[in-house]
């Protein structure tokens, strides 16, 4: 290892240890400091490790946790960036934590969640064995720009890893187009049937053929622009998945049961989280397990046992209430949470927390593309409707225009006050924060419950 690389590694390790001792996490700053000393440090740290990368707009963290459970159950020696610090600096930090001062890594595998915009840079340094692209949706227009920019970033990254096997979502017309003109082997995953009888009203992020601009026709839609798409003009169409959900047996407030066929072999699978998006995440995880060489029975068993990522359907006991936190960050993801709530007939408290900090996306106009009307149509089911966050007034206004009764909207400034309100009732709750609101709310919950730190 070069002298500057050793110095960068030592600085990264030392600063990370200090920050964690102070309870600060130390997930990004150590990597930032290391990068200033050695711009190629990630390549040095990762050179002897087989890397699986998960990227795409929605589902990166949960898919990674599903894959991690399979890695663990299969006995692989691995590490993962569980904190969700998925930019280049966070990835450097987690590699430095698992490499000795001599540069030796005791793990054979690394499981890395990577921001879709950051992948084009991180891919230059990572020896990627398997790459998952879950989906591509409109997200944080102030940061990512148009959806084609996200697609271009991922495509550039794929060009840096010609030896990687790609696991691509066959149902996403944008993601599927990444297979065009590349040498990489591809494993397709997808859902062969509709997930719900009725879904939230959604605007398609990809209504027209990426090749000839003709409007797609669909045999069925699962959500957003995902489903059995085909172009009637040029013939571009959904690929038949190698790993496919062939039946949705049951969807509930805490899990789903599906039939999953892996390269022709059917399995009845219990997915340990609710929601149609997690059915896709499960199929992606099974595809990765096949690529890495994990036994199918171990892979499908892991889907019933994995621990959800922080803020991704985590459950907390708050006073008399059992609450579930559902991170929401764009219209497609929020509409899937609405589908989940709408298809459960139980009584709930609802809490909406909207921030507009950099990590959330400073442009909050996206909330007007979310189908809150579907919730408002059944608002008698909801014992309380609470609104908080930096942009709580904007969220309350959106809910009012969706049809919620104004006198039922409780606008709460403090997260402690919100948790007091939720915990005063035995009615279960859905907490729906944007990204930075999730961290702030989780910090407040941590004062009241024995919850793990986000980086654990």
């Amino acid at each position: 290892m070069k002298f500057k690389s050793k110095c960068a590694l030592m600085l990264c390790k030392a600063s990370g240890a200090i920050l964690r001792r102070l309870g600060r996490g130390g997930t990004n700053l150590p990597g930032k400091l290391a990068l200033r000393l050695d711009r190629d440090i990630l390549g040095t740290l990762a050179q002897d490790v087989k890397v699986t990368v998960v990227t795409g707009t929605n589902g990166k963290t949960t898919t990674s946790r599903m894959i991690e459970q399979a890695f663990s159950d299969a006995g692989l020696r691995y590490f993962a960036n569980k904190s969700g610090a998925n930019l280049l600096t966070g990835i450097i930090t987690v590699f430095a934590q698992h490499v000795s001062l001599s540069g030796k890594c005791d793990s054979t595998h690394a499981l890395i969640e990577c921001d879709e915009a950051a992948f084009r840079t991180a891919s230059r340094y990572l020896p990627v064995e398997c790459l998952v692209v879950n989906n591509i949706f409109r997200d944080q227009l102030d940061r990512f720009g148009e959806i084609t920019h996200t697609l271009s970033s991922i495509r550039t990254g794929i060009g840096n890893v010609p030896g990687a096997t790609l696991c691509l979502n066959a149902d996403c017309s944008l993601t599927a187009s990444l297979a065009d003109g590349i040498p990489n082997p591809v494993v397709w995953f997808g859902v062969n049937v509709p997930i719900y009888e009725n879904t939230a009203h959604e605007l398609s992020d990809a209504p027209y053929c990426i090749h000839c601009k003709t409007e797609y026709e669909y045999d069925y839609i699962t959500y957003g622009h995902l489903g059995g798409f085909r172009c009637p003009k040029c013939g571009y169409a959904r690929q038949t998945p190698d790993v496919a959900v062939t039946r949705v047996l049951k969807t509930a407030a805490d899990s789903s049961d599906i039939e999953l066929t892996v390269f022709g072999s059917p399995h009845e699978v219990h997915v340990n989280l609710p929601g149609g998006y997690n059915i896709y995440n499960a199929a992606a995880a099974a595809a990765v397990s096949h690529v890495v060489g994990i036994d199918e029975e171990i892979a499908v068993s892991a889907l019933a046992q994995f621990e959800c990522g922080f803020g991704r359907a985590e459950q907390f006991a708050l006073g008399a209430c059992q609450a579930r936190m559902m991170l929401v960050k764009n219209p497609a993801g929020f509409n899937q949470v609405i589908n989940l709530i709408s298809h459960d007939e139980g009584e709930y408290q609802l809490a909406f927390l909207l921030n507009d900090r950099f990590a959330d996306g400073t442009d909050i106009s996206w909330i007007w593309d979310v189908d809150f009307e579907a919730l408002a149509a059944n608002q008698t089911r909801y014992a309380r409707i609470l609104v908080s966050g930096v942009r709580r007034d904007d969220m309350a206004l959106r809910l009012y225009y969706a049809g919620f009764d104004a006198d039922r909207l409780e606008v709460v400034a403090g997260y402690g006050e919100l948790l007091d309100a939720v915990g005063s009732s035995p009615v279960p709750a859905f907490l729906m924060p944007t990204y930075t609101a999730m961290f702030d709310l989780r910090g407040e919950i941590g004062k009241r419950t024995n919850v793990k730190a986000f980086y654990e």
Side-chain angles (χ1 to χ4, degrees):
M1 184 184 292
K2 296 178 181 177
F3 178 71
K4 69 175 181 179
S5 298
K6 285 189 175 181
C7 292
L9 176 57
M10 291 175 64
L11 178 60
C12 192
K13 280 181 169 292
S15 58
I18 293 170
L19 288 169
R20 286 190 295 277
R21 188 72 178 266
L22 295 173
R24 299 286 298 278
T27 56
N28 277 302
L29 181 58
K32 186 178 294 186
L33 296 174
L35 201 57
R36 288 182 178 178
L37 292 184
D38 182 0
R39 61 184 300 177
D40 300 320
I41 183 64
L42 180 58
T44 301
L45 300 178
Q47 58 186 344
D48 296 322
V49 183
K50 295 180 179 179
V51 180
T52 294
V53 173
V54 181
T55 194
T57 305
N58 292 327
K60 294 186 290 293
T61 299
T62 303
T63 300
S64 296
R65 299 292 72 76
M66 291 176 173
I67 297 168
E68 182 179 0
Q69 186 68 53
F71 277 21
S72 177
D73 293 350
L76 299 185
R77 290 185 290 119
Y78 76 95
F79 62 87
N81 56 339
K82 294 184 71 167
S83 71
N86 59 18
L87 300 178
L88 181 63
T89 51
I91 295 169
I92 291 171
T93 299
V94 76
F95 268 92
Q97 289 171 354
H98 292 87
V99 171
S100 70
L101 289 175
S102 66
K104 179 176 174 57
C105 182
D106 289 334
S107 299
T108 57
H109 292 74
L111 173 57
I112 300 298
E113 172 191 335
C114 186
D115 174 88
E116 50 271 37
F119 178 62
R120 67 188 303 161
T121 302
S123 60
R124 298 176 193 164
Y125 306 104
L126 294 174
V128 180
E129 176 187 31
C130 180
L131 170 67
V132 184
V133 185
N134 267 347
N135 49 61
I136 299 173
F137 283 99
R138 178 165 47 103
D139 188 35
Q140 295 186 24
L141 293 178
D142 53 309
R143 177 169 170 246
F144 289 108
E146 291 299 326
I147 201 167
T148 51
H149 295 170
T150 301
L151 182 66
S152 177
S153 290
I154 297 175
R155 190 183 299 280
T156 298
I158 290 173
N160 295 329
V161 291
T165 297
L166 309 186
C167 295
L168 301 181
N169 189 339
D171 300 357
C172 176
S173 57
L174 296 168
T175 302
S177 72
L178 293 170
D180 296 340
I182 59 170
N184 307 66
V186 176
V187 172
W188 297 99
F189 66 90
V191 179
N192 289 354
V193 292
I195 295 172
Y196 298 113
E197 287 186 14
N198 300 295
T199 61
H201 174 72
E202 300 178 82
L203 297 175
S204 173
D205 288 340
Y208 302 107
C209 178
I210 194 169
H211 297 295
C212 71
K213 310 307 177 188
T214 302
E215 187 172 2
Y216 287 120
E217 295 177 350
Y218 281 83
D219 297 320
Y220 63 93
I221 293 175
T222 53
Y223 74 91
H225 60 271
L226 307 189
F229 70 90
R230 49 190 164 79
C231 175
K233 182 177 180 181
C234 74
Y236 175 59
R238 175 186 187 258
Q239 296 287 323
T240 301
D242 304 297
V243 178
V245 176
T246 50
R247 285 196 299 161
V248 177
L249 305 173
K250 179 183 177 183
T251 58
D254 58 356
S255 62
S256 297
D257 291 294
I258 59 175
E259 183 177 87
L260 183 67
T261 300
V262 182
F263 285 83
S265 177
H267 304 267
E268 286 198 5
V269 177
H270 181 74
V271 181
N272 194 29
L273 275 184
Y277 45 94
N278 285 318
I279 291 175
Y280 272 102
N281 296 339
V288 171
S289 294
H290 177 87
V291 172
V292 176
I294 295 173
D295 181 81
E296 284 181 17
E297 294 298 334
I298 293 175
V300 299
S301 174
L303 299 174
Q305 302 173 48
F306 74 95
E307 181 180 292
C308 61
F310 66 96
R312 279 73 171 184
E314 272 188 300
Q315 294 194 68
F316 308 95
L318 301 174
C321 171
Q322 189 71 20
R324 189 182 286 275
M325 186 184 292
M326 311 290 291
L327 172 67
V328 290
K329 59 180 185 174
N330 53 42
F334 215 140
N335 281 331
Q336 285 308 292
V337 174
I338 290 172
N339 278 337
L340 169 63
I341 297 171
S342 298
H343 285 80
D344 189 313
E345 297 179 356
E347 183 182 15
Y348 293 103
Q349 301 180 75
L350 304 182
F352 303 88
L353 298 91
L354 178 65
N355 280 5
D356 64 349
R357 299 180 183 135
F358 177 76
D360 306 289
T362 56
D363 179 357
I364 63 163
S365 63
W366 62 270
I367 65 174
W368 293 89
D369 291 334
V370 178
D371 189 17
F372 295 112
E373 287 77 5
L375 291 178
N378 295 290
Q379 61 186 285
T380 55
R381 284 178 49 208
Y382 311 126
R384 294 186 86 165
I385 304 159
L386 299 133
V387 186
S388 191
V390 176
R391 300 297 292 270
R392 54 190 175 274
D393 292 334
D394 296 88
M395 178 58 81
L397 181 67
R398 173 67 185 96
L399 295 175
Y400 171 73
Y401 275 104
F404 282 91
D405 295 337
D407 58 359
R408 297 203 62 210
L409 298 174
E410 302 178 52
V411 180
V412 182
Y415 293 161
E417 183 183 350
L418 182 143
L419 294 178
D420 287 339
V422 169
S424 66
S425 168
V427 177
F430 279 98
L431 312 177
M432 294 167 278
T434 54
Y435 195 71
T436 65
M438 175 187 69
F439 277 95
D440 294 343
L441 183 63
R442 208 171 178 278
E444 187 65 33
I445 291 173
K447 299 175 184 177
R448 301 164 182 241
T449 66
N450 188 26
V451 63
K452 289 181 180 180
F454 73 92
Y455 50 85
E456 297 177 330

